Amino acid sequence: NKAALLLRVTVTKDPEESRQFRAWLMIAEMQQAAGNREDTIASFHSALAIEPNHPELYENLAQCYIEQENLEEAVLYLEKAITVDPSRGLSYARLGKILFATKNVQKGLEILDEGIKNATSNVHACHFLKGRYHFNKAEFEKAVHHLNQSLPSENDTDKRLSVIKSDWRQLEAWDHISEAYFLLGKIYKEGMANFTNDNTKGQLELAETFLKKALEYDENHVGANLYLGMVLEARGKCSEAVFPLRYASVNSKNSPGAFLANYWLGNVLFQMGKYSQATIYYQRAIQERNHAKKILDLYRLFNNAAASFERSGDNETALKYFKVSQNIRPKGYLPIEYMTPD
């Protein structure tokens, strides 16, 4: 703060506008690092008075207002940034994101389309937001198109990405990569059959590829770990599935993800013949059963839990869970005694 104050005194005495402009930017960065948002905004405005056609200043001011949750002002400055320089994709993406958050979805889609059409940098950020929108609408073919467009091209070498990750502004432009790969993996795991005739094996191979790429960019992505474990189980790679499912189990509590992670980890351990360990995760899934989306999932959970307890020598608990499974058995499903290993 003292350095910023000293620099502010110096800049007011400097007659050279270019030096004044650079000094105000330095002051703003110091104030931003110190968490002084109001002073940061004032300094950016001082810089803007010297160079009123500087698009990054408008973006920086918009970000300050976003952090203050003053979205109306943020929208105003992002619109000005686009007017000054319509080639900056990040301005369109930020504006589209705010419009989505404020339920102005149609305007948000129009802004993203403008960004895809006009921007020459960071267009991928606009594609990602459109891809996620179509994913949430279950419009998977459109989602796949835009999500693929949001990913790094072959020209984005490891060296360039390492430079990108060292700069917070560029990091923001690329921080969607892990999520894009995750959504693609999830589509090929669950939703691809809605618009393609690809066989299940091919879909699962693609899902595994995308989910592993998601974890390359963010190894702590709980959803990617969960779905990778589910895909690996479906492909018969149970020993590989244990680690991502265990990570998802530990890092997701009181949520649908917690239910799925514990349920599928129980299944994997059961198929590996580790029945006592399987009972632990089936019990955890039972504790999270309120998050099950289908009665069929609960039926299978209690049935599989009964099998694991029976094979672990706890016949009393096995019988209890077996009775529960039969009481909630969906219509059309024949009663089965226990799940059997593959």
Side-chain angles (χ1 to χ4, degrees):
N1 289 338
K2 290 182 179 179
L5 179 61
L6 180 61
L7 192 57
R8 186 185 303 171
V9 172
T10 303
V11 71
T12 56
K13 298 179 179 179
D14 194 329
E16 178 60 47
E17 285 192 343
S18 63
R19 287 197 296 267
Q20 287 184 23
F21 176 76
R22 291 193 297 272
W24 281 120
L25 291 183
M26 291 175 62
I27 293 169
E29 289 180 2
M30 292 178 189
Q31 292 164 333
Q32 193 170 41
N36 300 326
R37 289 175 182 166
E38 292 295 340
D39 290 340
T40 302
I41 289 172
S43 296
F44 278 137
H45 275 295
S46 295
L48 199 60
I50 299 171
E51 291 196 23
N53 293 320
H54 199 290
E56 192 170 341
L57 280 178
Y58 289 111
E59 288 181 350
N60 290 343
L61 277 164
Q63 185 60 33
C64 290
Y65 287 118
I66 289 172
E67 291 171 2
Q68 288 186 328
E69 299 183 0
N70 187 345
L71 299 185
E72 289 185 6
E73 286 295 309
V75 166
L76 175 65
Y77 282 99
L78 286 170
E79 289 175 341
K80 288 181 178 179
I82 291 171
T83 300
V84 170
D85 185 358
S87 71
R88 297 172 64 85
L90 200 54
S91 297
Y92 294 98
R94 283 179 174 175
L95 180 54
K97 193 173 182 179
I98 292 174
L99 292 170
F100 281 170
T102 55
K103 311 301 182 184
N104 198 344
V105 176
Q106 189 55 44
K107 181 66 182 296
L109 290 172
E110 291 171 2
I111 288 294
L112 294 177
D113 285 336
E114 287 181 24
I116 291 169
K117 178 181 178 181
N118 298 324
T120 58
S121 66
N122 296 330
V123 184
H124 45 267
C126 298
H127 277 295
F128 169 71
L129 292 173
K130 282 215 70 176
R132 188 171 63 183
Y133 167 81
H134 289 300
F135 174 87
N136 291 333
K137 299 285 286 185
E139 297 169 349
F140 297 122
E141 191 166 11
K142 292 179 180 178
V144 167
H145 167 73
H146 287 290
L147 290 171
N148 275 318
Q149 291 295 315
S150 78
L151 297 174
S153 68
E154 293 181 0
N155 294 327
D156 294 315
T157 62
D158 291 339
K159 181 178 179 182
R160 178 181 170 191
L161 287 175
S162 67
V163 172
I164 287 171
K165 291 179 179 179
S166 69
D167 185 325
W168 71 268
R169 295 179 183 86
Q170 292 301 318
L171 178 60
E172 181 191 355
W174 288 95
D175 65 2
H176 66 271
I177 297 177
S178 180
E179 187 70 8
Y181 278 121
F182 166 62
L183 293 178
L184 285 166
K186 195 172 181 181
I187 288 171
Y188 280 95
K189 163 70 171 66
E190 293 187 334
M192 200 66 175
N194 290 326
F195 70 92
T196 183
N197 292 321
D198 286 354
N199 60 54
T200 302
K201 180 180 178 182
Q203 292 177 36
L204 290 176
E205 287 176 354
L206 283 170
E208 181 179 342
T209 298
F210 283 125
L211 292 166
K212 285 182 175 178
K213 290 292 290 185
L215 293 173
E216 285 181 19
Y217 283 89
D218 181 5
E219 63 183 6
N220 299 317
H221 194 300
V222 175
N225 275 287
L226 169 61
Y227 272 83
L228 178 60
M230 293 165 66
V231 167
L232 290 170
E233 187 276 342
R235 300 197 67 198
K237 301 179 179 181
C238 287
S239 60
E240 290 184 46
V242 171
F243 178 81
L245 286 173
R246 185 165 284 156
Y247 181 89
S249 170
V250 170
N251 290 281
S252 56
K253 304 292 183 183
N254 193 30
S255 67
F259 171 79
L260 288 172
N262 287 300
Y263 169 65
W264 283 103
L265 185 50
N267 287 351
V268 164
L269 292 168
F270 185 97
Q271 292 178 62
M272 295 172 67
K274 299 181 179 181
Y275 306 123
S276 294
Q277 291 184 42
T279 62
I280 296 171
Y281 291 98
Y282 283 138
Q283 289 275 47
R284 291 178 183 177
I286 288 169
Q287 292 173 359
E288 299 276 359
R289 63 186 179 277
N290 291 337
H291 296 289
K293 293 183 178 180
K294 302 176 183 177
I295 192 66
L296 178 59
D297 292 336
L298 287 177
Y299 167 61
R300 289 171 172 167
L301 167 62
F302 280 101
N303 188 77
N304 297 354
S308 67
F309 276 99
E310 187 269 339
R311 285 163 173 77
S312 298
D314 186 347
N315 291 325
E316 183 179 350
T317 306
L319 182 59
K320 180 180 72 172
Y321 285 150
F322 177 71
K323 288 180 178 179
V324 173
S325 74
Q326 297 312 301
N327 287 336
I328 62 175
R329 175 168 52 89
K331 291 182 179 179
Y333 278 80
L334 295 174
I336 54 178
E337 184 175 359
Y338 292 127
M339 181 181 84
T340 56
D342 291 344

